[in-house]
């Protein structure tokens, strides 16, 4: 959070003041700080979009694709104080920093006023202050109220009994609950003579089967009314002149009913088809779920077997490594006695930490000593415990430690600090020597030869006369004195160079002459003046840097805000573009599927139309053949009756003539008649068979020709239908390929 206020201070020099700003000395208040804090916390960057996986691609208002959550992450570290600093606190903080840098400055002690907790300010300590955008805790009373004895009311007199303020009255209704309501009651009815109420047409509808009436029942009632109105407009059956009109009206109504019935059948078929699709889809989903369960169970079983196998291999590996290490420790296979002192001195031995594989379980009943607390083992207990904790526990405020001053005013190292450093070095050397582990001597596996050191050669001596030897010895002694004195002189010089700062410190603090003291005092005054000048300069530079940092922070905040908004806009634009591409692809796929279904539906409709035409033709041919049979039978019966009547009439005439001729004929005429009868009986039968055979041969040619024409026409129709079906399939395939090519080009 960046909060800065730019004002033109009157104490700044003209080159540091900013033109165009408020010339008055106006500083920010606590209200401005709270407003800037609220604006910094209400920026959009603190909101996080968390997607909902169930409705991730939804554009509906009541099914949002993401949720907005307030981020609890605070960019300001918790050890930085975010409370409003008044001018007194800022002045006190500046004085504290000055006291750290300048040891000669003495900071005045703070005198705190009496808070009067039990007096007029008691109400301030009953509730926690409301700090915006901070974690709120339950509003608890800080100071408990003194416990008082409960007030006991005096006993009431028996003369006037108390009147209760509340009473309970039971009621009973004449209506039943909806849960136990039965079917509505249908009373008996009586129909008047010569009247047919319209309501009786709904007598077939009962509760739960048509009642209460819905849209289908209303449409059925309207159709029944229309049919009754149509029946009223039909001509009367007694009027023969209107018979043709009545027939046309009935045919039209029959076609209309057939069309309505076909629509109902199609609706039922579509509903059944949808139900069948849903059932198939559910069956596939259930089958997929069962398959996934089987696969998951098999995978988990194999995974458990794999883990068990790996654990077994790891156990064998550890056991083998342990055995190899044990064998490596005792290669020769010698038996060693137990070293009790070594076992008790080594805290990693079996005495302190026995192994469980050896049958020792030291923590077998360790759960008996576990402390089970409601406040530590449950979430509700933790929440209750956290609500009872004070603010400084959940929101610790870390103050940086003050640096320990180890130098004097003149910048030299203090004697105590030098002594502490030397003691730390000595302690470290002692610890290193104490913790140094001596390497144990390796056991000799083989005999080794020890080499003897070579003896020193004897020192050569020079034999001289006594005087000469004495002079040389005295000269050597004098030379040794000179060398030793030079060594001591060099050692003193090196010590002086090493402790030159200490000598200077002693000279500055233990000056005995008055001139040196005055000189040191003047140097001290000059040094303090320079320090004050440097502090003023640093203060001015810090003010300018603060103003510049505030301006830079505001510009950077605006720039980052703009960049973040542009980034969000670009992401939203890309996401919308991706959704548009997905929607376009899905639309094209659906159009392709719909075109395929439409073509299949059109092909099916053509086939159904052809089948319907063929069925109608069959029905028409059936009706025609039926009518022809009726007409032929009627003609045959009529002709048979007329022929029988004519034959009977002719037979009577012939009988009369025959009886008359029988009475007049002779023997010769009788033989002639017998001969003619025999001729007329034999010859016509032969001619009849000949004519029948001739007619049969003539019809055989027409029947064969008709069969050939019918077969040829049927084969042509089948071939045409097959070619059209193949062409439709090829066109569908080409269209799908073109659409896929277009989609790939667009992508």
């Amino acid at each position: 959070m960046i909060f800065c206020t730019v004002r033109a201070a009157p104490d700044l020099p003209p080159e540091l003041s900013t033109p165009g700003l408020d010339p008055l000395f106006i500083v920010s208040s606590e209200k401005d700080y709270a407003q800037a804090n609220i604006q910094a916390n209400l920026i959009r960057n603190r909101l996080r979009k968390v997607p909902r996986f169930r409705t991730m691609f939804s554009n509906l208002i009541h099914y949002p694709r993401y949720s907005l959550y307030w981020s609890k992450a605070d960019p300001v570290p918790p050890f930085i104080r975010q409370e409003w600093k008044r001018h007194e606190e800022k002045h006190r903080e500046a004085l504290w920093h000055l006291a750290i840098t300048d040891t000669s400055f003495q900071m005045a002690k703070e005198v705190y006023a009496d808070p009067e907790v039990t007096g007029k300010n008691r109400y301030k300590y009953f509730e926690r202050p409301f700090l915006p955008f901070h974690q709120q805790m339950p509003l608890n009373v800080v100071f408990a109220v003194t416990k008082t004895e409960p007030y006991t009311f005096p006993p009431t007199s028996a003369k006037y009994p108390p009147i209760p303020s509340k009473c309970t009255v039971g009621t009973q209704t004449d209506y039943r609950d909806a849960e136990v309501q039965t079917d509505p009651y249908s009373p008996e009815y009586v129909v008047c003579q010569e009247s047919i109420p319209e309501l009786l047409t709904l007598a077939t509808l009962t509760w739960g089967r048509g009642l209460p009436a819905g849209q289908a029942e209303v449409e059925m009632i309207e159709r029944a009314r229309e049919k009754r109105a149509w029946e009223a407009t039909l001509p009367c059956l007694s009027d023969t002149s209107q018979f043709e009109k009545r027939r046309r009206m009935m045919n039209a109504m029959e076609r209309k009913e057939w069309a309505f019935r076909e629509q109902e059948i199609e609706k039922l078929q579509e509903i059944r088809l949808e139900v069948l699709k849903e059932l198939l889809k559910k069956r596939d989903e259930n089958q997929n779920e069962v398959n996934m369960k089987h696969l998951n169970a098999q995978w988990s079983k194999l995974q458990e077997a794999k883990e068990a196998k790996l654990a077994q291999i790891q156990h064998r590996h550890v056991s083998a490594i342990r055995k190899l290490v044990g064998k490596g420790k005792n290669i020769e296979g010698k038996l060693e006695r137990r070293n009790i002192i070594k076992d008790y001195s080594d805290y990693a031995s079996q005495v302190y930490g026995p192994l469980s594989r050896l049958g020792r379980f030291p923590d077998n009943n360790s759960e008996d000593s576990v402390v089970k607390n409601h406040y530590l083992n449950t979430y509700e207990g933790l929440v209750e415990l956290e609500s009872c904790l004070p603010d400084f526990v959940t929101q610790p405020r870390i103050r940086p430690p003050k640096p320990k001053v180890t130098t004097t005013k003149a910048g030299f190292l203090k004697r105590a600090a030098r002594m502490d450093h030397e003691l730390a070095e000595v302690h470290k050397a002692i610890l290193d020597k104490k913790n140094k582990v001596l390497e144990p001597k390796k056991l000799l596996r083989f005999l080794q030869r020890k080499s003897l050191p070579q003896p020193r050669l004897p020192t050569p001596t020079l034999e001289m006369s006594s005087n000469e030897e004495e002079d040389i010895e005295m000269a050597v002694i004098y030379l040794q004195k000179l060398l030793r004195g030079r060594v001591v002189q060099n050692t003193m010089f090196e010590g002086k160079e090493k402790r030159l700062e200490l000598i200077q410190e002693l000279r500055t603090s233990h000056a005995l002459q008055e001139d040196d003291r005055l000189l040191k005092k003047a140097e001290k005054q000059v040094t303090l003046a320079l320090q004050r000048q440097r502090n003023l300069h640093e203060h001015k530079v810090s003010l300018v840097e603060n103003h510049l940092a505030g301006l830079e922070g505001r510009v950077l905040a605006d720039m980052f805000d703009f960049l973040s908004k542009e980034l969000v806009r670009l992401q939203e634009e890309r996401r919308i573009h991706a959704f548009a591409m997905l929607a376009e692809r899905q639309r094209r796929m659906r159009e392709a599927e719909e075109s395929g279904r439409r073509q299949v539906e059109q092909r099916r409709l053509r086939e159904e139309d052809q089948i319907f035409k063929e069925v109608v033709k069959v029905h028409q041919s059936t009706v025609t053949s039926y009518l022809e049979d009726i007409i032929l039978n009627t003609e045959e019966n009529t002709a048979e009756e007329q022929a029988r009547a004519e034959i009977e009439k002719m037979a009577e005439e012939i009988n009369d003539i025959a009886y008359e001729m029988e009475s007049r004929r002779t023997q010769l005429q009788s033989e002639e008649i017998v001969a003619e009868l025999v001729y007329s009986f034999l010859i016509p039968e032969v001619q009849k068979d000949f004519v029948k055979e001739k007619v049969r041969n003539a019809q055989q040619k027409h029947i064969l020709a008709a069969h050939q024409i019918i077969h040829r026409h049927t084969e042509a129709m089948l071939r045409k239908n097959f070619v059209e079906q193949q062409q439709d399939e090829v066109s569908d395939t080409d269209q799908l390929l073109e659409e896929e090519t277009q989609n790939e080009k667009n992508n």
Side-chain angles (χ1 to χ4, degrees):
M1 178 179 65
I2 300 173
F3 176 74
C4 61
T5 305
V6 180
R7 295 287 187 272
D11 56 345
L12 290 177
E15 61 272 16
L16 296 178
S17 62
T18 306
L21 299 178
D22 190 2
L24 302 177
F25 185 73
I26 300 174
V27 296
S28 302
S29 64
E30 188 175 1
K31 182 179 180 182
D32 299 331
Y33 180 84
Q35 186 176 3
N37 188 14
I38 292 171
Q39 291 179 359
N41 282 279
L42 287 178
I43 58 177
R44 197 174 177 184
N45 295 336
R46 299 293 296 276
L47 295 176
R48 295 290 182 267
K49 293 181 179 180
V50 180
R52 295 184 179 181
F53 293 97
R54 292 184 179 273
T55 59
M56 186 179 290
F57 301 99
S58 174
N59 292 325
L60 301 177
I61 298 175
H62 54 284
Y63 289 107
R65 61 176 177 269
Y66 62 87
S67 300
L68 294 176
Y69 288 90
W70 187 269
S71 178
K72 296 183 179 179
D74 194 359
V76 181
F79 61 86
I80 296 178
R81 297 178 59 186
Q82 301 185 29
E83 292 81 10
W84 166 252
K85 294 182 180 179
R86 299 183 181 272
H87 299 288
E88 295 83 4
E89 294 180 3
K90 292 183 179 179
H91 181 65
R92 193 182 303 110
E93 188 175 1
L95 292 177
W96 181 67
H97 285 294
L98 182 61
I100 291 175
T101 56
D102 190 2
T103 56
S104 63
F105 180 79
Q106 296 294 333
M107 190 173 179
K109 295 184 178 180
E110 295 182 3
V111 179
Y112 296 96
D114 186 12
E116 297 183 6
V117 177
T118 59
K120 65 178 181 179
N121 295 330
R122 182 178 175 83
Y123 70 96
K124 297 181 181 179
Y125 297 89
F126 270 79
E127 293 181 351
R128 286 173 50 82
F130 176 75
L131 299 178
F133 309 104
H134 282 265
Q135 186 177 2
Q136 299 297 327
M137 297 178 66
L139 303 177
N140 298 328
V141 178
V142 178
F143 295 94
V145 183
T146 57
K147 295 183 179 180
T148 58
E149 294 296 330
Y151 178 75
T152 58
F153 292 94
T156 58
S157 61
K159 184 177 181 181
Y160 299 99
I163 300 174
S165 60
K166 297 180 181 179
C167 61
T168 303
V169 179
T171 60
Q172 185 175 1
T173 62
D174 297 332
Y175 300 96
R176 291 179 292 180
D177 294 336
E179 288 79 4
V180 298
Q181 183 68 36
T182 57
D183 292 343
Y185 173 67
S186 299
E188 299 293 338
Y189 57 88
V190 179
V191 181
C192 298
Q193 293 182 357
E194 298 180 358
S195 64
I196 302 175
E198 187 182 5
L199 191 61
L200 288 180
T201 58
L202 306 178
T204 57
L205 301 179
T206 58
W207 182 264
R209 295 183 180 180
L211 292 178
Q215 183 179 1
E217 286 74 15
V218 173
E219 291 178 357
M220 183 187 70
I221 293 169
E222 293 295 332
R223 287 197 304 273
R225 288 179 177 176
E226 291 178 359
K227 191 170 183 181
R228 286 196 297 272
W230 172 78
E231 288 178 354
T233 58
L234 282 175
C236 186
L237 287 172
S238 60
D239 190 1
T240 57
S241 61
Q242 300 292 333
F243 181 75
E244 188 66 24
K245 181 180 178 181
R246 181 184 177 89
R247 186 177 63 80
R248 288 197 301 270
M249 292 176 66
M250 292 181 67
N251 291 336
M253 178 56 68
E254 187 177 1
R255 286 195 297 271
K256 186 177 179 181
E257 289 181 353
W258 276 110
F260 176 73
R261 182 59 181 165
E262 287 179 356
Q263 292 179 1
E264 286 188 345
I265 291 172
E266 289 180 356
K267 289 181 181 179
L268 289 174
Q269 288 179 352
E270 290 178 357
I271 293 172
R272 290 176 181 175
L273 186 61
E274 292 296 331
V275 172
L276 184 60
K277 287 182 180 179
E278 291 294 331
L279 292 175
L280 291 175
K281 186 177 179 181
K282 289 183 180 179
R283 187 187 68 178
D284 294 339
E285 291 177 356
N286 294 333
Q287 187 65 30
N288 292 334
E289 187 176 357
V290 171
N291 294 336
M292 287 301 296
K293 287 182 180 179
H294 289 329
L295 290 175
N296 292 334
Q298 187 68 18
W299 184 82
S300 60
K301 189 184 296 182
L302 295 176
Q303 196 72 12
E304 290 177 357
K306 175 186 172 183
E307 292 177 357
K309 191 69 175 177
L310 289 175
Q312 188 178 3
I313 293 171
Q314 187 71 17
H315 180 69
R316 289 203 301 267
H317 172 72
V318 172
S319 178
I321 292 297
R322 193 184 298 114
K323 290 179 181 179
L324 289 175
V325 171
K327 288 182 180 179
K329 291 181 180 179
N330 191 4
I331 299 175
E332 298 179 358
K334 295 181 180 179
L335 297 176
E336 295 181 358
R337 292 184 179 180
R338 179 188 176 188
N339 192 351
I340 300 176
I341 298 174
K342 183 179 179 181
D343 291 344
Y344 278 91
S345 62
D346 186 9
Y347 292 99
S349 63
Q350 297 292 328
V351 177
Y352 297 99
L355 297 177
S356 60
R357 68 171 182 268
L358 300 178
R360 295 288 301 278
F361 300 96
D363 56 347
N364 194 11
N365 298 324
S366 61
E367 294 182 357
D368 296 341
S369 60
V370 176
V371 178
K372 297 180 181 179
N373 193 353
H374 169 72
Y375 294 100
L376 299 177
N377 296 336
T378 60
Y379 176 74
E380 293 79 6
L382 289 174
V383 172
E384 185 178 356
L385 183 62
E386 186 179 359
S387 63
C388 298
L389 294 176
D391 188 15
F392 66 86
V393 177
T394 57
Q395 297 179 359
R397 298 173 183 175
I398 302 173
R399 295 183 179 179
K402 296 181 180 179
K404 188 176 181 181
V405 180
T406 57
T407 57
T408 60
K409 297 179 182 179
F412 300 106
L413 191 66
K414 289 185 176 181
R415 183 178 299 172
R418 186 170 61 254
M419 186 67 68
D420 292 341
H421 181 68
E422 292 178 356
L423 289 175
E425 289 183 352
V426 172
H427 180 66
K428 184 178 180 182
I430 292 172
L431 289 178
D432 293 341
K433 188 174 181 180
K434 181 179 179 180
N435 297 331
K436 187 176 180 181
V437 180
L438 298 176
E439 295 183 358
K441 295 183 179 180
K442 297 181 179 180
L443 298 176
L444 298 178
R445 297 177 59 186
F446 305 101
L447 296 177
Q448 294 181 359
R449 182 185 297 276
K450 290 185 178 181
S451 59
L452 298 175
Q454 295 181 359
R456 293 183 60 184
L457 297 175
T459 305
T461 56
L462 182 64
E463 295 180 358
M464 295 182 180
S465 62
S466 60
N467 294 331
E468 232 175 273
E469 183 178 357
E470 187 177 356
D471 294 337
I472 292 172
E473 187 175 358
M474 293 299 294
V476 169
I477 291 171
Y478 183 72
L479 183 60
Q480 288 179 353
K481 288 181 180 180
L482 289 177
L483 292 175
R484 288 173 181 172
R486 194 64 178 171
V487 168
V488 171
Q489 186 180 3
N490 291 335
T491 304
M492 290 290 294
F493 184 75
E494 290 178 357
K496 186 192 73 170
E497 291 293 333
K498 287 182 180 179
R499 294 166 177 78
L500 185 61
E501 295 179 355
L502 182 59
I503 295 170
Q504 294 292 338
E505 182 181 359
L506 291 173
R507 286 180 179 178
T508 55
S509 60
H510 297 83
L512 300 178
Q513 297 181 3
E514 189 68 23
D515 297 337
D516 294 338
R517 291 180 180 177
L518 294 176
L519 183 61
K520 294 299 180 182
K521 189 174 182 180
E523 290 179 357
K524 181 178 179 181
Q525 295 294 334
V526 171
T527 305
L528 292 175
L530 291 174
Q531 286 182 355
R532 284 193 293 271
Q533 186 178 1
R534 186 184 62 184
N535 292 334
L536 290 174
H537 180 68
E538 289 180 354
H539 181 64
K540 292 180 181 179
V541 172
S542 64
L543 289 176
V544 174
E545 289 179 353
N546 289 335
H547 289 297
L548 293 176
L551 293 174
E552 292 176 358
R554 184 175 298 176
V555 173
L556 289 175
D558 295 338
M559 182 179 67
F560 289 153
D561 187 20
F562 174 74
L563 291 176
S564 64
K565 290 179 180 178
E566 286 294 322
L567 178 61
V568 172
R569 186 187 64 78
L570 182 60
Q571 291 177 354
E572 291 292 331
E573 184 179 356
R574 288 184 178 179
R575 188 176 63 81
I576 292 170
H577 180 63
F579 283 169
M581 292 180 64
L582 289 174
E584 185 67 21
R585 180 182 178 187
Q586 190 174 7
R587 183 183 64 80
R588 289 177 179 173
M589 292 175 64
R590 288 183 178 178
E591 286 181 356
E593 294 176 357
E594 186 65 26
S595 61
R597 287 196 295 269
R598 193 182 301 112
Q599 291 174 2
V600 172
E601 186 68 22
Q602 290 177 359
R603 190 183 304 113
R604 186 174 63 81
L605 288 176
R606 286 198 298 271
E607 292 177 357
E608 290 181 355
D609 291 341
Q610 187 66 27
I611 292 170
F612 181 73
K613 289 179 182 179
E614 295 295 334
V615 171
V616 170
K617 286 181 181 180
V618 171
H619 290 175
Q620 290 178 356
S621 61
T622 304
V623 172
T624 304
S625 61
Y626 177 69
L627 294 176
E628 288 178 355
D629 292 339
I630 292 173
I631 293 169
L632 291 175
N633 291 331
T634 305
E635 289 178 354
E636 288 179 358
N637 294 331
T638 306
E640 185 177 358
E641 290 178 358
Q642 291 178 359
R644 187 178 290 107
E646 291 179 358
I647 289 170
E648 288 179 355
K649 185 178 180 181
M650 289 177 66
E652 290 179 355
E653 293 179 356
I654 290 171
N655 285 335
D656 295 339
I657 295 171
Y659 289 149
E660 187 178 355
M661 289 178 64
E662 187 68 27
S663 61
R664 294 179 182 178
R665 71 179 178 183
T666 60
Q667 184 67 27
L668 182 60
Q669 290 178 351
S670 300
E671 292 178 358
E672 186 177 356
I673 289 169
V674 170
E676 288 179 0
L677 287 174
V678 171
Y679 179 77
S680 62
F681 177 74
L682 295 175
I683 297 303
E685 187 66 26
V686 175
Q687 290 180 355
K688 190 187 295 183
D689 294 337
F690 180 73
V691 171
K692 286 183 180 180
E693 185 66 27
K694 189 176 180 180
V695 170
R696 188 181 298 109
N697 293 332
Q699 290 180 353
Q700 188 71 24
K701 294 188 295 181
H702 297 295
I703 291 171
L704 291 174
H707 287 176
Q708 291 178 359
I709 292 169
I710 291 170
H711 287 302
R712 194 181 303 112
H713 181 68
T714 306
E715 291 177 356
M717 290 294 292
L718 292 174
R719 193 179 298 107
K720 184 178 180 181
N721 292 333
F722 180 71
V723 171
E724 290 179 355
Q725 186 176 0
Q726 286 185 347
Q727 290 178 358
D728 293 339
E729 291 178 356
V730 171
S731 63
D732 296 342
T733 307
D734 295 339
Q735 187 175 0
L736 291 174
L737 290 175
E738 290 178 0
E739 291 179 357
E740 290 179 358
T741 307
Q742 189 68 22
N743 293 333
E744 291 178 358
K745 289 181 179 179
N746 295 332
N747 294 330

